[in-house]
Amino acid sequence: NAGVTQTPKFQVLKTGQSMTLQCAQDMNHEYMSWYRQDPGMGLRLIHYSVGAGITDQGEVPNGYNVSRSTTEDFPLRLLSAAPSQTSVYFCASGSVLYGYTFGSGTRLTVV
Amino acid sequence: GENVEQHPSTLSVQEGDSAVIKCTYSDSASNYFPWYKQELGKGPQLIIDIRSNVGEKKDQRIAVTLNKTAKHFSLHITETQPEDSAVYFCAASTGTASKLTFGTGTRLQVTL
């Protein structure tokens, strides 16, 4: 039981490049979400999903896309990276009933 | 939407003392309030949570209290130890939406 696995752990992108942050969970959770963490601002919700085929926007969705084709995976796509997207990204899965488990994060730098 | 405020932003206590972190929320429909501990370079880890039908919950040295009328909840850590040093986040959620809104975090330092 690996919990929530995020890859890669570190990434440097040039402005305008695209990439996908991967998130996988093996706990059969219906709910998955992506947060970004910036100094002094806590964790802000980007996108979330309540099940396969269902996604919705969070607080800061602009510049990010998601899809949920399976219960296990919830990738986050940056179509055209900008310096403002430099941040640490966390994926989480779980529920109000059982609590939420976070991955170890992806540290992204856009230059 | 929900807004969660957390105070203080930094807290320094001596080993063995108690630490208290307070949060307020804005949405009266929120009914789930978890607390997370984040160590350097790691993801947030759930340490305790409380639901709106409960006023207090304890787990060894950690306790959380909830005042629904005032819309605030607090984390209490007793007999603090150096390994309690970390950043602590509170959060609030309405159960049906399953979305967590986080406070801005409290950096707790336990000194010897």
Side-chain angles (χ1 to χ4, degrees), chain A residues 20-85:
Chain A
T20 299
L21 280 64
Q22 302 291 345
C23 177
Q25 54 97 2
D26 59 1
M27 298 171 285
N28 202 32
H29 289 155
E30 290 296 323
Y31 177 80
M32 297 185 73
S33 58
W34 278 101
Y35 289 84
R36 60 177 288 172
Q37 184 174 31
D38 302 294
M41 301 188 74
L43 293 103
R44 293 182 292 169
L45 182 66
I46 304 171
H47 285 285
Y48 67 101
S49 169
V50 297
I54 306 170
T55 63
D56 205 348
Q57 297 181 348
E59 180 185 356
V60 288
N62 292 341
Y64 308 95
N65 282 347
V66 292
S67 60
R68 185 90 179 273
S69 57
T70 67
T71 299
E72 294 78 19
D73 300 297
F74 190 44
L76 178 71
R77 283 182 287 275
L78 285 71
L79 298 180
S80 180
S84 60
Q85 294 178 305

Short mmCIF file of all heavy atoms in Angstrom, two decimals, chain A residues 20-85:
data_model
loop_
_atom_site.label_atom_id
_atom_site.label_comp_id
_atom_site.label_asym_id
_atom_site.label_seq_id
_atom_site.Cartn_x
_atom_site.Cartn_y
_atom_site.Cartn_z
N THR A 20 3.23 17.36 -17.50
CA THR A 20 2.18 16.72 -16.71
C THR A 20 2.76 16.24 -15.40
O THR A 20 3.77 15.52 -15.39
CB THR A 20 1.57 15.54 -17.47
OG1 THR A 20 0.97 16.01 -18.69
CG2 THR A 20 0.50 14.86 -16.62
N LEU A 21 2.12 16.63 -14.30
CA LEU A 21 2.47 16.11 -12.98
C LEU A 21 1.57 14.90 -12.73
O LEU A 21 0.35 14.97 -12.87
CB LEU A 21 2.23 17.17 -11.90
CG LEU A 21 3.28 18.26 -11.71
CD1 LEU A 21 3.40 19.13 -12.95
CD2 LEU A 21 2.94 19.12 -10.50
N GLN A 22 2.22 13.81 -12.34
CA GLN A 22 1.47 12.58 -12.15
C GLN A 22 1.09 12.37 -10.68
O GLN A 22 1.83 12.73 -9.77
CB GLN A 22 2.30 11.38 -12.63
CG GLN A 22 2.72 11.43 -14.08
CD GLN A 22 1.55 11.27 -15.04
OE1 GLN A 22 0.46 10.84 -14.66
NE2 GLN A 22 1.79 11.62 -16.31
N CYS A 23 -0.10 11.80 -10.48
CA CYS A 23 -0.56 11.45 -9.15
C CYS A 23 -1.31 10.13 -9.23
O CYS A 23 -2.21 9.99 -10.07
CB CYS A 23 -1.46 12.53 -8.58
SG CYS A 23 -2.15 12.10 -6.95
N ALA A 24 -0.95 9.20 -8.37
CA ALA A 24 -1.62 7.91 -8.33
C ALA A 24 -1.86 7.50 -6.89
O ALA A 24 -1.02 7.75 -6.02
CB ALA A 24 -0.78 6.85 -9.04
N GLN A 25 -3.03 6.89 -6.64
CA GLN A 25 -3.34 6.39 -5.30
C GLN A 25 -3.86 4.96 -5.40
O GLN A 25 -4.53 4.60 -6.36
CB GLN A 25 -4.34 7.32 -4.60
CG GLN A 25 -5.63 7.60 -5.35
CD GLN A 25 -6.79 6.73 -4.96
OE1 GLN A 25 -6.69 5.88 -4.06
NE2 GLN A 25 -7.92 6.92 -5.65
N ASP A 26 -3.53 4.18 -4.38
CA ASP A 26 -3.92 2.77 -4.39
C ASP A 26 -4.87 2.45 -3.23
O ASP A 26 -4.93 1.31 -2.76
CB ASP A 26 -2.67 1.88 -4.31
CG ASP A 26 -1.83 2.12 -3.07
OD1 ASP A 26 -2.22 2.98 -2.24
OD2 ASP A 26 -0.79 1.47 -2.92
N MET A 27 -5.61 3.45 -2.77
CA MET A 27 -6.52 3.28 -1.65
C MET A 27 -7.98 3.25 -2.08
O MET A 27 -8.89 3.27 -1.24
CB MET A 27 -6.29 4.41 -0.63
CG MET A 27 -4.87 4.38 -0.05
SD MET A 27 -4.46 5.82 0.95
CE MET A 27 -4.22 7.05 -0.33
N ASN A 28 -8.21 3.24 -3.38
CA ASN A 28 -9.56 3.18 -3.95
C ASN A 28 -10.43 4.37 -3.51
O ASN A 28 -11.65 4.23 -3.36
CB ASN A 28 -10.25 1.86 -3.58
CG ASN A 28 -11.37 1.52 -4.53
OD1 ASN A 28 -11.32 1.84 -5.73
ND2 ASN A 28 -12.41 0.88 -4.02
N HIS A 29 -9.78 5.53 -3.33
CA HIS A 29 -10.54 6.72 -2.95
C HIS A 29 -11.23 7.32 -4.17
O HIS A 29 -10.64 7.43 -5.24
CB HIS A 29 -9.60 7.77 -2.35
CG HIS A 29 -9.08 7.40 -1.00
ND1 HIS A 29 -7.91 7.90 -0.49
CD2 HIS A 29 -9.61 6.61 -0.04
CE1 HIS A 29 -7.71 7.43 0.72
NE2 HIS A 29 -8.72 6.63 1.02
N GLU A 30 -12.46 7.75 -3.96
CA GLU A 30 -13.17 8.41 -5.06
C GLU A 30 -12.69 9.85 -5.24
O GLU A 30 -12.64 10.37 -6.33
CB GLU A 30 -14.68 8.40 -4.78
CG GLU A 30 -15.32 7.02 -4.88
CD GLU A 30 -15.24 6.45 -6.29
OE1 GLU A 30 -15.38 7.23 -7.26
OE2 GLU A 30 -15.03 5.22 -6.43
N TYR A 31 -12.36 10.50 -4.14
CA TYR A 31 -12.02 11.92 -4.18
C TYR A 31 -10.52 12.11 -4.32
O TYR A 31 -9.74 11.52 -3.57
CB TYR A 31 -12.51 12.62 -2.92
CG TYR A 31 -12.13 14.08 -2.85
CD1 TYR A 31 -12.86 15.03 -3.56
CD2 TYR A 31 -11.05 14.50 -2.10
CE1 TYR A 31 -12.51 16.37 -3.50
CE2 TYR A 31 -10.69 15.83 -2.05
CZ TYR A 31 -11.42 16.76 -2.75
OH TYR A 31 -11.08 18.07 -2.70
N MET A 32 -10.10 12.94 -5.30
CA MET A 32 -8.70 13.33 -5.45
C MET A 32 -8.64 14.81 -5.76
O MET A 32 -9.59 15.38 -6.32
CB MET A 32 -8.01 12.53 -6.57
CG MET A 32 -7.94 11.02 -6.29
SD MET A 32 -7.02 10.11 -7.53
CE MET A 32 -5.32 10.60 -7.14
N SER A 33 -7.52 15.43 -5.40
CA SER A 33 -7.40 16.87 -5.58
C SER A 33 -5.95 17.27 -5.77
O SER A 33 -5.04 16.52 -5.42
CB SER A 33 -8.00 17.61 -4.38
OG SER A 33 -7.34 17.21 -3.19
N TRP A 34 -5.77 18.47 -6.33
CA TRP A 34 -4.45 19.08 -6.49
C TRP A 34 -4.43 20.41 -5.76
O TRP A 34 -5.36 21.22 -5.90
CB TRP A 34 -4.12 19.32 -7.96
CG TRP A 34 -3.60 18.11 -8.67
CD1 TRP A 34 -4.27 17.28 -9.50
CD2 TRP A 34 -2.25 17.63 -8.63
NE1 TRP A 34 -3.44 16.29 -9.97
CE2 TRP A 34 -2.20 16.48 -9.45
CE3 TRP A 34 -1.09 18.04 -7.98
CZ2 TRP A 34 -1.02 15.75 -9.65
CZ3 TRP A 34 0.07 17.31 -8.17
CH2 TRP A 34 0.10 16.19 -8.99
N TYR A 35 -3.35 20.64 -5.01
CA TYR A 35 -3.12 21.89 -4.32
C TYR A 35 -1.76 22.44 -4.74
O TYR A 35 -0.85 21.70 -5.07
CB TYR A 35 -3.10 21.69 -2.80
CG TYR A 35 -4.45 21.39 -2.19
CD1 TYR A 35 -4.95 20.10 -2.17
CD2 TYR A 35 -5.23 22.41 -1.64
CE1 TYR A 35 -6.18 19.81 -1.61
CE2 TYR A 35 -6.46 22.13 -1.08
CZ TYR A 35 -6.94 20.84 -1.06
OH TYR A 35 -8.15 20.57 -0.52
N ARG A 36 -1.63 23.75 -4.65
CA ARG A 36 -0.33 24.36 -4.76
C ARG A 36 -0.02 25.06 -3.44
O ARG A 36 -0.92 25.59 -2.78
CB ARG A 36 -0.22 25.33 -5.93
CG ARG A 36 -1.15 26.50 -5.93
CD ARG A 36 -0.88 27.42 -7.13
NE ARG A 36 0.37 28.16 -6.98
CZ ARG A 36 0.92 28.92 -7.93
NH1 ARG A 36 0.31 29.04 -9.11
NH2 ARG A 36 2.06 29.55 -7.71
N GLN A 37 1.26 25.04 -3.06
CA GLN A 37 1.67 25.65 -1.80
C GLN A 37 2.71 26.71 -2.07
O GLN A 37 3.78 26.42 -2.61
CB GLN A 37 2.23 24.60 -0.84
CG GLN A 37 2.58 25.17 0.53
CD GLN A 37 3.00 24.11 1.52
OE1 GLN A 37 3.57 23.09 1.17
NE2 GLN A 37 2.69 24.33 2.79
N ASP A 38 2.39 27.92 -1.69
CA ASP A 38 3.28 29.05 -1.84
C ASP A 38 3.55 29.66 -0.47
O ASP A 38 2.67 29.64 0.40
CB ASP A 38 2.68 30.10 -2.78
CG ASP A 38 2.37 29.52 -4.15
OD1 ASP A 38 3.33 29.16 -4.85
OD2 ASP A 38 1.18 29.40 -4.51
N PRO A 39 4.73 30.23 -0.25
CA PRO A 39 5.08 30.79 1.07
C PRO A 39 4.03 31.76 1.57
O PRO A 39 3.62 32.69 0.85
CB PRO A 39 6.41 31.48 0.80
CG PRO A 39 7.00 30.75 -0.35
CD PRO A 39 5.83 30.37 -1.22
N GLY A 40 3.58 31.57 2.80
CA GLY A 40 2.64 32.48 3.43
C GLY A 40 1.21 32.39 2.95
O GLY A 40 0.36 33.16 3.39
N MET A 41 0.93 31.43 2.05
CA MET A 41 -0.43 31.36 1.49
C MET A 41 -1.10 30.02 1.73
O MET A 41 -2.16 29.75 1.18
CB MET A 41 -0.40 31.68 0.00
CG MET A 41 0.17 33.06 -0.30
SD MET A 41 0.00 33.53 -2.01
CE MET A 41 -1.75 33.89 -2.07
N GLY A 42 -0.50 29.18 2.52
CA GLY A 42 -1.12 27.89 2.78
C GLY A 42 -1.21 27.03 1.54
O GLY A 42 -0.40 27.17 0.61
N LEU A 43 -2.19 26.17 1.50
CA LEU A 43 -2.42 25.29 0.34
C LEU A 43 -3.70 25.75 -0.35
O LEU A 43 -4.74 25.86 0.29
CB LEU A 43 -2.55 23.84 0.77
CG LEU A 43 -1.27 23.21 1.33
CD1 LEU A 43 -1.33 23.10 2.84
CD2 LEU A 43 -1.04 21.83 0.72
N ARG A 44 -3.61 25.98 -1.63
CA ARG A 44 -4.76 26.44 -2.39
C ARG A 44 -5.19 25.38 -3.40
O ARG A 44 -4.36 24.83 -4.12
CB ARG A 44 -4.44 27.77 -3.09
CG ARG A 44 -4.23 28.94 -2.13
CD ARG A 44 -3.96 30.22 -2.88
NE ARG A 44 -2.67 30.18 -3.58
CZ ARG A 44 -2.28 31.07 -4.47
NH1 ARG A 44 -3.08 32.07 -4.81
NH2 ARG A 44 -1.10 30.98 -5.03
N LEU A 45 -6.48 25.15 -3.45
CA LEU A 45 -7.03 24.09 -4.29
C LEU A 45 -7.05 24.51 -5.76
O LEU A 45 -7.57 25.57 -6.11
CB LEU A 45 -8.45 23.75 -3.81
CG LEU A 45 -9.18 22.64 -4.54
CD1 LEU A 45 -8.48 21.31 -4.33
CD2 LEU A 45 -10.63 22.56 -4.07
N ILE A 46 -6.49 23.66 -6.62
CA ILE A 46 -6.43 23.94 -8.06
C ILE A 46 -7.61 23.28 -8.77
O ILE A 46 -8.43 23.95 -9.41
CB ILE A 46 -5.11 23.43 -8.66
CG1 ILE A 46 -3.91 24.02 -7.93
CG2 ILE A 46 -5.03 23.79 -10.16
CD1 ILE A 46 -2.59 23.40 -8.34
N HIS A 47 -7.68 21.96 -8.70
CA HIS A 47 -8.77 21.18 -9.29
C HIS A 47 -9.04 19.99 -8.38
O HIS A 47 -8.16 19.56 -7.63
CB HIS A 47 -8.41 20.66 -10.68
CG HIS A 47 -8.43 21.67 -11.77
ND1 HIS A 47 -9.60 22.17 -12.32
CD2 HIS A 47 -7.41 22.27 -12.43
CE1 HIS A 47 -9.29 23.03 -13.27
NE2 HIS A 47 -7.97 23.12 -13.35
N TYR A 48 -10.24 19.44 -8.49
CA TYR A 48 -10.54 18.25 -7.73
C TYR A 48 -11.47 17.34 -8.53
O TYR A 48 -12.06 17.76 -9.54
CB TYR A 48 -11.14 18.58 -6.37
CG TYR A 48 -12.52 19.23 -6.41
CD1 TYR A 48 -13.67 18.48 -6.18
CD2 TYR A 48 -12.65 20.59 -6.67
CE1 TYR A 48 -14.92 19.07 -6.21
CE2 TYR A 48 -13.90 21.18 -6.70
CZ TYR A 48 -15.03 20.43 -6.46
OH TYR A 48 -16.27 21.02 -6.50
N SER A 49 -11.58 16.11 -8.07
CA SER A 49 -12.41 15.12 -8.74
C SER A 49 -13.11 14.26 -7.69
O SER A 49 -12.48 13.82 -6.74
CB SER A 49 -11.55 14.25 -9.65
OG SER A 49 -12.29 13.13 -10.12
N VAL A 50 -14.39 14.02 -7.90
CA VAL A 50 -15.14 13.19 -6.96
C VAL A 50 -15.36 11.78 -7.50
O VAL A 50 -16.10 10.99 -6.91
CB VAL A 50 -16.48 13.84 -6.57
CG1 VAL A 50 -16.24 15.17 -5.85
CG2 VAL A 50 -17.36 14.05 -7.79
N GLY A 51 -14.73 11.48 -8.63
CA GLY A 51 -14.82 10.14 -9.19
C GLY A 51 -14.35 10.14 -10.63
O GLY A 51 -14.19 11.20 -11.25
N ALA A 52 -14.14 8.96 -11.18
CA ALA A 52 -13.69 8.84 -12.56
C ALA A 52 -14.66 9.55 -13.50
O ALA A 52 -15.89 9.38 -13.39
CB ALA A 52 -13.56 7.38 -12.95
N GLY A 53 -14.11 10.37 -14.38
CA GLY A 53 -14.91 11.10 -15.35
C GLY A 53 -15.49 12.41 -14.85
O GLY A 53 -16.15 13.13 -15.60
N ILE A 54 -15.25 12.75 -13.57
CA ILE A 54 -15.83 13.96 -12.97
C ILE A 54 -14.72 14.83 -12.39
O ILE A 54 -13.96 14.39 -11.53
CB ILE A 54 -16.81 13.61 -11.84
CG1 ILE A 54 -17.87 12.62 -12.33
CG2 ILE A 54 -17.46 14.87 -11.29
CD1 ILE A 54 -18.71 12.05 -11.22
N THR A 55 -14.61 16.06 -12.91
CA THR A 55 -13.63 17.00 -12.37
C THR A 55 -14.29 18.36 -12.20
O THR A 55 -15.31 18.66 -12.85
CB THR A 55 -12.40 17.16 -13.27
OG1 THR A 55 -12.80 17.71 -14.53
CG2 THR A 55 -11.70 15.82 -13.50
N ASP A 56 -13.70 19.19 -11.36
CA ASP A 56 -14.23 20.53 -11.14
C ASP A 56 -13.11 21.45 -10.70
O ASP A 56 -12.04 21.00 -10.27
CB ASP A 56 -15.34 20.52 -10.09
CG ASP A 56 -16.30 21.68 -10.26
OD1 ASP A 56 -15.99 22.62 -11.03
OD2 ASP A 56 -17.36 21.66 -9.61
N GLN A 57 -13.36 22.75 -10.84
CA GLN A 57 -12.33 23.74 -10.53
C GLN A 57 -12.32 24.06 -9.05
O GLN A 57 -13.35 24.08 -8.38
CB GLN A 57 -12.59 25.02 -11.34
CG GLN A 57 -12.50 24.81 -12.83
CD GLN A 57 -12.74 26.11 -13.58
OE1 GLN A 57 -13.20 27.10 -13.02
NE2 GLN A 57 -12.45 26.11 -14.87
N GLY A 58 -11.12 24.38 -8.58
CA GLY A 58 -10.95 24.85 -7.23
C GLY A 58 -10.77 26.36 -7.21
O GLY A 58 -11.33 27.08 -8.03
N GLU A 59 -9.96 26.81 -6.29
CA GLU A 59 -9.75 28.25 -6.07
C GLU A 59 -8.87 28.90 -7.13
O GLU A 59 -9.09 30.05 -7.52
CB GLU A 59 -9.13 28.44 -4.68
CG GLU A 59 -8.84 29.87 -4.27
CD GLU A 59 -8.11 29.94 -2.94
OE1 GLU A 59 -7.90 28.88 -2.31
OE2 GLU A 59 -7.74 31.06 -2.55
N VAL A 60 -7.86 28.17 -7.62
CA VAL A 60 -6.88 28.75 -8.55
C VAL A 60 -6.68 27.84 -9.76
O VAL A 60 -5.61 27.29 -9.98
CB VAL A 60 -5.53 29.02 -7.84
CG1 VAL A 60 -5.65 30.20 -6.90
CG2 VAL A 60 -5.04 27.78 -7.08
N PRO A 61 -7.69 27.67 -10.63
CA PRO A 61 -7.61 26.69 -11.73
C PRO A 61 -6.91 27.19 -13.00
O PRO A 61 -6.52 26.36 -13.84
CB PRO A 61 -9.08 26.42 -12.03
CG PRO A 61 -9.75 27.73 -11.73
CD PRO A 61 -9.00 28.30 -10.55
N ASN A 62 -6.74 28.52 -13.15
CA ASN A 62 -6.26 29.05 -14.41
C ASN A 62 -4.85 28.57 -14.72
O ASN A 62 -3.94 28.65 -13.89
CB ASN A 62 -6.30 30.58 -14.39
CG ASN A 62 -7.72 31.10 -14.36
OD1 ASN A 62 -8.66 30.38 -14.71
ND2 ASN A 62 -7.89 32.33 -13.92
N GLY A 63 -4.66 28.07 -15.96
CA GLY A 63 -3.36 27.61 -16.40
C GLY A 63 -3.14 26.12 -16.19
O GLY A 63 -2.08 25.60 -16.55
N TYR A 64 -4.14 25.45 -15.62
CA TYR A 64 -4.02 24.02 -15.31
C TYR A 64 -5.22 23.25 -15.88
O TYR A 64 -6.35 23.73 -15.84
CB TYR A 64 -3.99 23.77 -13.80
CG TYR A 64 -2.97 24.58 -13.04
CD1 TYR A 64 -3.32 25.78 -12.43
CD2 TYR A 64 -1.66 24.13 -12.91
CE1 TYR A 64 -2.39 26.52 -11.72
CE2 TYR A 64 -0.72 24.85 -12.18
CZ TYR A 64 -1.09 26.05 -11.60
OH TYR A 64 -0.17 26.78 -10.89
N ASN A 65 -4.94 22.05 -16.36
CA ASN A 65 -6.00 21.14 -16.79
C ASN A 65 -5.87 19.81 -16.07
O ASN A 65 -4.76 19.39 -15.72
CB ASN A 65 -5.93 20.88 -18.30
CG ASN A 65 -6.48 22.02 -19.11
OD1 ASN A 65 -7.14 22.92 -18.57
ND2 ASN A 65 -6.23 22.00 -20.40
N VAL A 66 -7.00 19.14 -15.87
CA VAL A 66 -6.99 17.81 -15.26
C VAL A 66 -7.96 16.90 -16.00
O VAL A 66 -8.83 17.37 -16.73
CB VAL A 66 -7.39 17.84 -13.77
CG1 VAL A 66 -6.34 18.55 -12.92
CG2 VAL A 66 -8.76 18.47 -13.60
N SER A 67 -7.77 15.62 -15.79
CA SER A 67 -8.72 14.62 -16.27
C SER A 67 -8.68 13.46 -15.29
O SER A 67 -7.70 13.29 -14.55
CB SER A 67 -8.37 14.14 -17.69
OG SER A 67 -7.07 13.56 -17.69
N ARG A 68 -9.73 12.68 -15.27
CA ARG A 68 -9.79 11.52 -14.34
C ARG A 68 -10.41 10.35 -15.11
O ARG A 68 -11.61 10.14 -15.10
CB ARG A 68 -10.65 11.88 -13.14
CG ARG A 68 -10.69 10.79 -12.07
CD ARG A 68 -9.62 10.94 -11.05
NE ARG A 68 -9.66 9.93 -10.01
CZ ARG A 68 -10.41 10.02 -8.90
NH1 ARG A 68 -11.18 11.08 -8.71
NH2 ARG A 68 -10.38 9.06 -8.01
N SER A 69 -9.56 9.60 -15.77
CA SER A 69 -10.04 8.46 -16.57
C SER A 69 -10.14 7.19 -15.73
O SER A 69 -10.91 6.28 -16.07
CB SER A 69 -9.13 8.22 -17.77
OG SER A 69 -7.79 8.00 -17.33
N THR A 70 -9.41 7.12 -14.64
CA THR A 70 -9.47 5.97 -13.74
C THR A 70 -9.59 6.45 -12.30
O THR A 70 -9.28 7.60 -11.99
CB THR A 70 -8.22 5.07 -13.85
OG1 THR A 70 -7.09 5.80 -13.34
CG2 THR A 70 -7.95 4.65 -15.29
N THR A 71 -10.00 5.57 -11.40
CA THR A 71 -10.06 5.93 -9.98
C THR A 71 -8.67 6.20 -9.42
O THR A 71 -8.49 7.06 -8.56
CB THR A 71 -10.70 4.77 -9.18
OG1 THR A 71 -12.03 4.57 -9.65
CG2 THR A 71 -10.76 5.10 -7.69
N GLU A 72 -7.64 5.51 -9.96
CA GLU A 72 -6.30 5.57 -9.38
C GLU A 72 -5.51 6.82 -9.74
O GLU A 72 -4.67 7.27 -8.97
CB GLU A 72 -5.49 4.33 -9.80
CG GLU A 72 -6.01 3.01 -9.25
CD GLU A 72 -7.23 2.51 -10.01
OE1 GLU A 72 -7.46 2.96 -11.17
OE2 GLU A 72 -7.97 1.67 -9.46
N ASP A 73 -5.73 7.37 -10.93
CA ASP A 73 -4.84 8.41 -11.45
C ASP A 73 -5.53 9.75 -11.63
O ASP A 73 -6.68 9.81 -12.10
CB ASP A 73 -4.25 7.96 -12.80
CG ASP A 73 -3.45 6.67 -12.66
OD1 ASP A 73 -2.44 6.68 -11.93
OD2 ASP A 73 -3.85 5.66 -13.27
N PHE A 74 -4.80 10.81 -11.34
CA PHE A 74 -5.35 12.16 -11.48
C PHE A 74 -4.22 13.10 -11.89
O PHE A 74 -3.64 13.82 -11.09
CB PHE A 74 -5.98 12.60 -10.16
CG PHE A 74 -6.78 13.86 -10.24
CD1 PHE A 74 -7.67 14.08 -11.29
CD2 PHE A 74 -6.70 14.83 -9.24
CE1 PHE A 74 -8.43 15.24 -11.36
CE2 PHE A 74 -7.46 15.98 -9.29
CZ PHE A 74 -8.33 16.19 -10.35
N PRO A 75 -3.85 13.13 -13.18
CA PRO A 75 -2.73 13.96 -13.62
C PRO A 75 -3.10 15.43 -13.73
O PRO A 75 -4.25 15.78 -14.05
CB PRO A 75 -2.39 13.37 -15.00
CG PRO A 75 -3.69 12.77 -15.46
CD PRO A 75 -4.39 12.26 -14.24
N LEU A 76 -2.12 16.28 -13.50
CA LEU A 76 -2.29 17.74 -13.61
C LEU A 76 -1.42 18.23 -14.76
O LEU A 76 -0.21 18.00 -14.76
CB LEU A 76 -1.86 18.43 -12.31
CG LEU A 76 -1.95 19.96 -12.28
CD1 LEU A 76 -3.41 20.41 -12.25
CD2 LEU A 76 -1.20 20.52 -11.07
N ARG A 77 -2.02 18.91 -15.71
CA ARG A 77 -1.29 19.37 -16.89
C ARG A 77 -1.12 20.89 -16.89
O ARG A 77 -2.09 21.62 -16.66
CB ARG A 77 -2.00 18.93 -18.16
CG ARG A 77 -1.80 17.47 -18.51
CD ARG A 77 -2.49 17.12 -19.81
NE ARG A 77 -3.93 17.07 -19.66
CZ ARG A 77 -4.60 16.00 -19.22
NH1 ARG A 77 -3.95 14.90 -18.90
NH2 ARG A 77 -5.90 16.05 -19.12
N LEU A 78 0.12 21.29 -17.17
CA LEU A 78 0.41 22.70 -17.41
C LEU A 78 0.63 22.84 -18.92
O LEU A 78 1.58 22.27 -19.46
CB LEU A 78 1.67 23.15 -16.67
CG LEU A 78 1.56 23.37 -15.15
CD1 LEU A 78 1.41 22.06 -14.40
CD2 LEU A 78 2.78 24.14 -14.66
N LEU A 79 -0.22 23.56 -19.60
CA LEU A 79 -0.15 23.64 -21.06
C LEU A 79 0.93 24.58 -21.53
O LEU A 79 1.59 24.32 -22.54
CB LEU A 79 -1.51 24.06 -21.61
CG LEU A 79 -2.66 23.09 -21.32
CD1 LEU A 79 -3.96 23.62 -21.92
CD2 LEU A 79 -2.34 21.69 -21.84
N SER A 80 1.13 25.70 -20.83
CA SER A 80 2.14 26.69 -21.20
C SER A 80 2.64 27.32 -19.91
O SER A 80 2.04 28.27 -19.40
CB SER A 80 1.53 27.74 -22.12
OG SER A 80 2.50 28.73 -22.48
N ALA A 81 3.72 26.77 -19.38
CA ALA A 81 4.19 27.17 -18.06
C ALA A 81 4.57 28.64 -17.98
O ALA A 81 5.15 29.20 -18.92
CB ALA A 81 5.37 26.30 -17.65
N ALA A 82 4.26 29.24 -16.84
CA ALA A 82 4.60 30.64 -16.57
C ALA A 82 5.34 30.71 -15.24
O ALA A 82 5.13 29.85 -14.36
CB ALA A 82 3.33 31.48 -16.51
N PRO A 83 6.20 31.72 -15.06
CA PRO A 83 6.93 31.85 -13.78
C PRO A 83 6.01 31.88 -12.56
O PRO A 83 6.41 31.42 -11.48
CB PRO A 83 7.68 33.17 -13.96
CG PRO A 83 7.91 33.27 -15.43
CD PRO A 83 6.67 32.71 -16.06
N SER A 84 4.78 32.39 -12.73
CA SER A 84 3.83 32.44 -11.61
C SER A 84 3.39 31.04 -11.16
O SER A 84 2.78 30.90 -10.09
CB SER A 84 2.59 33.25 -12.00
OG SER A 84 1.95 32.65 -13.11
N GLN A 85 3.70 30.03 -11.95
CA GLN A 85 3.35 28.66 -11.58
C GLN A 85 4.48 27.96 -10.83
O GLN A 85 4.35 26.78 -10.48
CB GLN A 85 2.96 27.86 -12.81
CG GLN A 85 1.67 28.37 -13.44
CD GLN A 85 1.28 27.62 -14.70
OE1 GLN A 85 2.07 27.53 -15.65
NE2 GLN A 85 0.07 27.10 -14.72
#
